[in-house]
Amino acid sequence: GQGDLPTEIWEKVKNHPCYSEEAHHHYARMHVAVAPACNIQCNYCNRKYDCANESRPGVVSEKLTPEQAAKKVLAVASTIPQMTVLGIAGPGDPLANPEKTFKTFELINRTAPDIKLCLSTNGLALPDHVDTIAGFNVDHVTITINMVDPEVGAKIYPWVFWKHKRYTGYEAAKLLTDRQMLGLEMLTERGILCKVNSVMIPGINDKHLVEVNRAVKSRGAFLHNIMPLISAPEHGTVFGLNGQRGPTAQELKALQDSCEGEMNMMRHCRQCRADAVGLLGEDRSAEFTTDKIMAME
Ligand code: CLF
Ligand code: SF4
């Protein structure tokens, strides 16, 4: 329900399957995988698969051009009447592929203006694109924020690539956290709703995420989604020689509980694929492959 949310925010989120626990039973979302490149490296990512910051890591989504994506949105919307939200969440970072991401938004605004647009980013390039995001009527942005302390960040991010230069270690993490906080403030100043995703990594940032929760709430994020690290050797998790474990369900819940009260916590995230289609928890992506859509005419 509305909980502690102010009414003007509740009006915007009540039909969004990710933002309202009830809405996820009635409203569908879809992702289009138009964004292959990334501008940072997370230790839990292996580039062959979907971005683990928003989408389920370790699955390979079918990459689309903006034109194919727009066509797919129309095909899905005419088949699934509850389709309300289109998100771009990978397989890399949408803002490391700005031409493809914004071309897709432009085409969808033109052909399916009722569909709400959503974007998920690591935040590095966010301050450069806030005006464009506002111009395309994107009213929901997700930023993945795993730390606000560069000492912690240096254990999560081996490098970031910014303005033609590669940064590593503390310097890389400091740059990333500064850009994430600035991007969050710029979005909330413009009235664009911001959700923050955090990946819980035991022994690395688990204790620190309470501090992240305070930092993002004070900058206007309206919802915090703490997701478990999904640890498997093929995902390229390289924290330790023997791999890095994910949290147990109890550890995750304990952390979410300790943040509750500070702000609204999301607990129904399904860590969707970068080409997910349908209600959360159902996956109809196989019904809408490019072959099938091109044959739909
Ligand atoms: Fe997609 Fe993400 Fe938009 Fe939702 S998913 S871009 S905010 S429309 Fe939702 Fe899926 Fe969790 Fe994402 S359940 S992975 S939070
Ligand atoms: Fe991988 Fe996503 Fe991190 Fe980029 S932001 S390195 S795609 S997990």
mmCIF file of all heavy atoms in Angstrom, residues 38-42 44-47 49-53 91-93 122 157, ligand 2:
data_model
loop_
_atom_site.group_PDB
_atom_site.id
_atom_site.type_symbol
_atom_site.label_atom_id
_atom_site.label_comp_id
_atom_site.label_asym_id
_atom_site.label_seq_id
_atom_site.Cartn_x
_atom_site.Cartn_y
_atom_site.Cartn_z
ATOM 1 N N CYS A 38 29.508 -1.462 -21.449
ATOM 2 C CA CYS A 38 29.518 -0.941 -20.081
ATOM 3 C C CYS A 38 30.751 -0.077 -19.883
ATOM 4 O O CYS A 38 31.776 -0.270 -20.533
ATOM 5 C CB CYS A 38 29.465 -2.050 -19.040
ATOM 6 S SG CYS A 38 29.078 -1.389 -17.397
ATOM 7 N N ASN A 39 30.650 0.895 -18.959
ATOM 8 C CA ASN A 39 31.739 1.835 -18.716
ATOM 9 C C ASN A 39 32.446 1.613 -17.373
ATOM 10 O O ASN A 39 33.281 2.414 -16.965
ATOM 11 C CB ASN A 39 31.207 3.276 -18.808
ATOM 12 C CG ASN A 39 29.936 3.456 -17.985
ATOM 13 O OD1 ASN A 39 29.515 2.555 -17.261
ATOM 14 N ND2 ASN A 39 29.314 4.627 -18.096
ATOM 15 N N ILE A 40 32.048 0.565 -16.659
ATOM 16 C CA ILE A 40 32.766 0.210 -15.423
ATOM 17 C C ILE A 40 32.938 -1.313 -15.399
ATOM 18 O O ILE A 40 32.375 -2.027 -16.236
ATOM 19 C CB ILE A 40 32.017 0.663 -14.141
ATOM 20 C CG1 ILE A 40 30.739 -0.157 -13.896
ATOM 21 C CG2 ILE A 40 31.685 2.144 -14.190
ATOM 22 C CD1 ILE A 40 30.060 0.155 -12.549
ATOM 23 N N GLN A 41 33.698 -1.794 -14.432
ATOM 24 C CA GLN A 41 33.778 -3.236 -14.209
ATOM 25 C C GLN A 41 33.390 -3.524 -12.763
ATOM 26 O O GLN A 41 33.996 -2.971 -11.841
ATOM 27 C CB GLN A 41 35.197 -3.741 -14.481
ATOM 28 C CG GLN A 41 35.382 -5.227 -14.211
ATOM 29 C CD GLN A 41 34.646 -6.092 -15.216
ATOM 30 O OE1 GLN A 41 34.888 -6.040 -16.417
ATOM 31 N NE2 GLN A 41 33.709 -6.903 -14.725
ATOM 32 N N CYS A 42 32.381 -4.362 -12.590
ATOM 33 C CA CYS A 42 32.030 -4.838 -11.251
ATOM 34 C C CYS A 42 32.675 -6.201 -11.075
ATOM 35 O O CYS A 42 32.682 -7.006 -12.009
ATOM 36 C CB CYS A 42 30.520 -5.002 -11.101
ATOM 37 S SG CYS A 42 29.562 -3.512 -11.439
ATOM 38 N N TYR A 44 31.541 -8.690 -9.706
ATOM 39 C CA TYR A 44 30.588 -9.807 -9.817
ATOM 40 C C TYR A 44 30.049 -9.971 -11.227
ATOM 41 O O TYR A 44 29.139 -10.732 -11.463
ATOM 42 C CB TYR A 44 29.433 -9.649 -8.811
ATOM 43 C CG TYR A 44 28.805 -8.276 -8.793
ATOM 44 C CD1 TYR A 44 27.989 -7.847 -9.833
ATOM 45 C CD2 TYR A 44 29.033 -7.404 -7.730
ATOM 46 C CE1 TYR A 44 27.422 -6.592 -9.813
ATOM 47 C CE2 TYR A 44 28.469 -6.148 -7.707
ATOM 48 C CZ TYR A 44 27.670 -5.752 -8.749
ATOM 49 O OH TYR A 44 27.104 -4.506 -8.733
ATOM 50 N N CYS A 45 30.614 -9.229 -12.176
ATOM 51 C CA CYS A 45 30.090 -9.286 -13.551
ATOM 52 C C CYS A 45 31.063 -10.032 -14.442
ATOM 53 O O CYS A 45 32.267 -9.924 -14.290
ATOM 54 C CB CYS A 45 29.934 -7.876 -14.095
ATOM 55 S SG CYS A 45 29.341 -7.793 -15.792
ATOM 56 N N ASN A 46 30.505 -10.766 -15.402
ATOM 57 C CA ASN A 46 31.340 -11.225 -16.498
ATOM 58 C C ASN A 46 30.585 -10.867 -17.762
ATOM 59 O O ASN A 46 29.492 -11.308 -17.992
ATOM 60 C CB ASN A 46 31.674 -12.705 -16.263
ATOM 61 C CG ASN A 46 31.470 -13.585 -17.460
ATOM 62 O OD1 ASN A 46 31.112 -13.145 -18.535
ATOM 63 N ND2 ASN A 46 31.686 -14.853 -17.267
ATOM 64 N N ARG A 47 31.136 -9.990 -18.519
ATOM 65 C CA ARG A 47 30.517 -9.299 -19.643
ATOM 66 C C ARG A 47 29.734 -10.149 -20.629
ATOM 67 O O ARG A 47 29.027 -9.619 -21.469
ATOM 68 C CB ARG A 47 31.605 -8.564 -20.445
ATOM 69 C CG ARG A 47 32.080 -7.353 -19.775
ATOM 70 C CD ARG A 47 30.916 -6.420 -19.527
ATOM 71 N NE ARG A 47 31.274 -5.507 -18.461
ATOM 72 C CZ ARG A 47 32.193 -4.579 -18.577
ATOM 73 N NH1 ARG A 47 32.801 -4.403 -19.710
ATOM 74 N NH2 ARG A 47 32.480 -3.823 -17.560
ATOM 75 N N TYR A 49 27.312 -11.914 -19.990
ATOM 76 C CA TYR A 49 25.924 -12.077 -19.572
ATOM 77 C C TYR A 49 25.290 -10.733 -19.229
ATOM 78 O O TYR A 49 25.916 -9.706 -19.267
ATOM 79 C CB TYR A 49 25.874 -13.011 -18.367
ATOM 80 C CG TYR A 49 26.489 -14.348 -18.611
ATOM 81 C CD1 TYR A 49 27.601 -14.762 -17.901
ATOM 82 C CD2 TYR A 49 25.962 -15.197 -19.581
ATOM 83 C CE1 TYR A 49 28.166 -16.003 -18.133
ATOM 84 C CE2 TYR A 49 26.518 -16.429 -19.820
ATOM 85 C CZ TYR A 49 27.626 -16.837 -19.088
ATOM 86 O OH TYR A 49 28.175 -18.051 -19.314
ATOM 87 N N ASP A 50 24.019 -10.787 -18.835
ATOM 88 C CA ASP A 50 23.290 -9.568 -18.482
ATOM 89 C C ASP A 50 23.898 -8.848 -17.284
ATOM 90 O O ASP A 50 24.424 -9.471 -16.370
ATOM 91 C CB ASP A 50 21.841 -9.932 -18.146
ATOM 92 C CG ASP A 50 21.040 -10.293 -19.383
ATOM 93 O OD1 ASP A 50 21.556 -10.117 -20.497
ATOM 94 O OD2 ASP A 50 19.897 -10.749 -19.216
ATOM 95 N N CYS A 51 23.743 -7.531 -17.283
ATOM 96 C CA CYS A 51 24.201 -6.712 -16.156
ATOM 97 C C CYS A 51 23.586 -7.235 -14.863
ATOM 98 O O CYS A 51 22.376 -7.322 -14.728
ATOM 99 C CB CYS A 51 23.790 -5.256 -16.346
ATOM 100 S SG CYS A 51 24.118 -4.224 -14.906
ATOM 101 N N ALA A 52 24.454 -7.545 -13.915
ATOM 102 C CA ALA A 52 23.976 -8.116 -12.653
ATOM 103 C C ALA A 52 23.464 -7.047 -11.702
ATOM 104 O O ALA A 52 22.977 -7.357 -10.621
ATOM 105 C CB ALA A 52 25.103 -8.903 -12.002
ATOM 106 N N ASN A 53 23.568 -5.765 -12.081
ATOM 107 C CA ASN A 53 23.101 -4.702 -11.204
ATOM 108 C C ASN A 53 21.586 -4.588 -11.187
ATOM 109 O O ASN A 53 21.014 -4.081 -10.246
ATOM 110 C CB ASN A 53 23.674 -3.356 -11.649
ATOM 111 C CG ASN A 53 25.121 -3.210 -11.252
ATOM 112 O OD1 ASN A 53 25.591 -3.872 -10.337
ATOM 113 N ND2 ASN A 53 25.829 -2.358 -11.951
ATOM 114 N N PRO A 91 21.984 -5.480 -21.752
ATOM 115 C CA PRO A 91 22.809 -6.303 -20.858
ATOM 116 C C PRO A 91 24.011 -5.566 -20.243
ATOM 117 O O PRO A 91 24.596 -6.048 -19.292
ATOM 118 C CB PRO A 91 23.269 -7.447 -21.755
ATOM 119 C CG PRO A 91 23.110 -6.957 -23.160
ATOM 120 C CD PRO A 91 22.020 -5.946 -23.144
ATOM 121 N N GLY A 92 24.380 -4.376 -20.752
ATOM 122 C CA GLY A 92 25.441 -3.566 -20.130
ATOM 123 C C GLY A 92 24.806 -2.397 -19.407
ATOM 124 O O GLY A 92 23.821 -2.561 -18.703
ATOM 125 N N ASP A 93 25.354 -1.186 -19.594
ATOM 126 C CA ASP A 93 24.774 -0.007 -18.940
ATOM 127 C C ASP A 93 24.085 0.871 -19.980
ATOM 128 O O ASP A 93 24.715 1.317 -20.946
ATOM 129 C CB ASP A 93 25.858 0.815 -18.240
ATOM 130 C CG ASP A 93 25.220 1.905 -17.386
ATOM 131 O OD1 ASP A 93 24.820 1.589 -16.252
ATOM 132 O OD2 ASP A 93 25.063 3.039 -17.872
ATOM 133 N N ASN A 122 24.401 2.240 -13.673
ATOM 134 C CA ASN A 122 25.394 2.253 -12.592
ATOM 135 C C ASN A 122 25.686 3.695 -12.143
ATOM 136 O O ASN A 122 26.376 3.903 -11.149
ATOM 137 C CB ASN A 122 26.684 1.547 -13.018
ATOM 138 C CG ASN A 122 27.360 2.204 -14.219
ATOM 139 O OD1 ASN A 122 27.498 3.425 -14.286
ATOM 140 N ND2 ASN A 122 27.800 1.393 -15.170
ATOM 141 N N TYR A 157 34.891 -2.606 -7.406
ATOM 142 C CA TYR A 157 35.097 -2.121 -8.776
ATOM 143 C C TYR A 157 36.581 -2.069 -9.115
ATOM 144 O O TYR A 157 37.298 -1.186 -8.637
ATOM 145 C CB TYR A 157 34.506 -0.714 -8.926
ATOM 146 C CG TYR A 157 33.049 -0.632 -8.540
ATOM 147 C CD1 TYR A 157 32.660 -0.097 -7.315
ATOM 148 C CD2 TYR A 157 32.070 -1.126 -9.392
ATOM 149 C CE1 TYR A 157 31.327 -0.041 -6.947
ATOM 150 C CE2 TYR A 157 30.728 -1.077 -9.027
ATOM 151 C CZ TYR A 157 30.367 -0.533 -7.807
ATOM 152 O OH TYR A 157 29.051 -0.485 -7.450
HETATM 153 FE FE1 SF4 B 2 28.556 -5.750 -15.456
HETATM 154 FE FE2 SF4 B 2 26.417 -4.255 -14.998
HETATM 155 FE FE3 SF4 B 2 28.635 -3.926 -13.520
HETATM 156 FE FE4 SF4 B 2 28.599 -3.140 -16.078
HETATM 157 S S1 SF4 B 2 27.369 -2.271 -14.394
HETATM 158 S S2 SF4 B 2 30.233 -4.304 -15.054
HETATM 159 S S3 SF4 B 2 27.308 -4.748 -17.035
HETATM 160 S S4 SF4 B 2 27.298 -5.778 -13.560
#
